[in-house]
Amino acid sequence: MVELKSRAEIERMRVTGRFVADVLSELRERAQVGVNLLDLEKHVRRRIQERGATSCYWDYAPSFGRGPFRNTICLSVNDAVLHGLPFDYTLRDGDVLSMDLAVEIDGWVADSAVTVIVGSASEEDRRLVCATEEALAAAIAVAVPGNRIGDISAAIAGVARSYGYPINTEFGGHGLGRTMHEDPHVPNNGKPGRGFRLVPGLTLALEPWFAATTDRIFTDPDGWTLRSADGSRTAHSEHTIAVTEDGPTVLTLAA
Ligand code: MG
Ligand code: MG
């Protein structure tokens, strides 16, 4: 069931979204060569406690993971793309790090992810990260009343194709609001003009992610981390947005 949000509720999600964006921009600064993933996790945990927020990941136990998750952020390095379990790993020059954060404040959730390149970036990795950011922007641009979920999906896939990246449709975007995952599902590939019609009050997490040379993934022995099947590098970009009469509005922007 799709739950539409009032303007006031969307503004409450924006409060959470600002916090998520602020923490992600702090992590952007912190993710340097020589920094351990567990230190990034600790920083997020402290910020969440100080803010009186709740992590959506802590104790999360979906059917696909080896639950419960006991961390406050997903950190996915290089061939890891989604649900990366923070572990004792020191970042190296050229690592591609995706950071995905979902938090609840006063009953309202926001979800966002960024991918950064640690130290010096290769041209190939920069291109991959750029593609997910461009796909996210394209997805947001078509999130207007009257369009359909398929228009968002097609916009994401169109950018992937233009870069020559394969597309996986198992994991994609989703509705959210009172909880992290609500209807509708937003696949990262689809047909324009198909699917659920976008209406004002619909809040979505849009999250293109690509692996450089495969559309297949597998679960790491840690039971959570999803990796590209061929070991190629991956990137992921995500924002929480609301569809409004005035067009799309991004809720996960820094203050
Ligand atoms: Mg996320
Ligand atoms: Mg999400």
Side-chain angles (χ1 to χ4, degrees):
M1 202 188 84
V2 174
E3 192 204 350
L4 300 178
K5 280 78 179 178
S6 67
R7 277 180 179 272
E9 289 169 338
I10 288 170
E11 289 315 308
R12 292 182 69 180
M13 287 177 67
R14 197 190 298 278
V15 171
T16 311
R18 237 174 237 146
F19 173 77
V20 167
D22 286 345
V23 174
L24 284 176
S25 60
E26 291 159 19
L27 293 176
R28 233 182 223 286
E29 299 296 314
R30 284 170 180 258
Q32 304 292 337
V33 174
V35 170
N36 195 292
L37 295 183
L38 297 179
D39 292 330
L40 299 179
E41 160 64 27
K42 265 185 220 142
H43 177 73
V44 178
R45 208 176 289 197
R46 187 169 56 240
R47 292 285 278 118
I48 287 175
Q49 272 166 4
E50 284 168 4
R51 182 63 177 79
T54 306
S55 168
C56 296
Y57 297 154
W58 194 266
D59 277 346
Y60 186 52
S63 57
F64 53 79
R66 185 186 298 155
F69 199 80
R70 285 289 172 141
N71 289 273
T72 56
I73 187 159
C74 293
L75 299 172
S76 307
V77 183
N78 295 337
D79 60 317
V81 63
L82 297 172
H83 310 156
L85 188 69
F87 69 108
D88 182 8
Y89 175 81
T90 302
L91 290 168
R92 297 175 194 167
D93 191 47
D95 276 347
V96 178
L97 171 67
S98 299
M99 306 184 283
D100 190 351
L101 181 62
V103 159
E104 178 199 314
I105 296 174
D106 297 330
W108 294 96
V109 170
D111 184 5
S112 182
V114 294
T115 298
V116 298
I117 301 174
V118 178
S120 37
S122 76
E123 198 43 50
E124 277 169 27
D125 291 341
R126 212 192 297 270
R127 188 172 180 272
L128 183 63
V129 174
C130 252
T132 62
E133 290 172 354
E134 210 177 286
L136 178 55
I140 293 168
V142 296
V144 297
N147 273 354
R148 292 178 181 268
I149 292 293
D151 295 298
I152 295 176
S153 304
I156 291 170
V159 172
R161 270 189 217 106
S162 75
Y163 277 84
Y165 297 132
I167 306 150
N168 171 295
T169 51
E170 280 171 80
F171 291 91
H174 50 92
L176 79 174
R178 293 179 192 276
T179 62
M180 177 167 54
H181 290 124
E182 299 179 357
D183 290 335
H185 175 58
V186 189
N188 285 339
N189 193 4
K191 290 196 170 69
R194 300 283 284 273
F196 186 83
R197 189 181 288 277
L198 308 182
V199 289
L202 183 64
T203 48
L204 301 169
L206 304 179
E207 47 182 313
W209 62 271
F210 310 133
T213 52
T214 182
D215 61 356
R216 296 181 54 204
I217 48 177
F218 73 96
T219 306
D220 183 275
D222 72 14
W224 280 100
T225 307
L226 298 177
R227 299 182 181 278
S228 65
D230 65 356
S232 64
R233 293 204 161 186
T234 65
H236 177 210
S237 298
E238 178 178 24
H239 270 309
T240 294
I241 67 133
V243 177
T244 79
E245 287 90 347
D246 310 321
T249 180
V250 178
L251 304 181
T252 39
L253 292 179

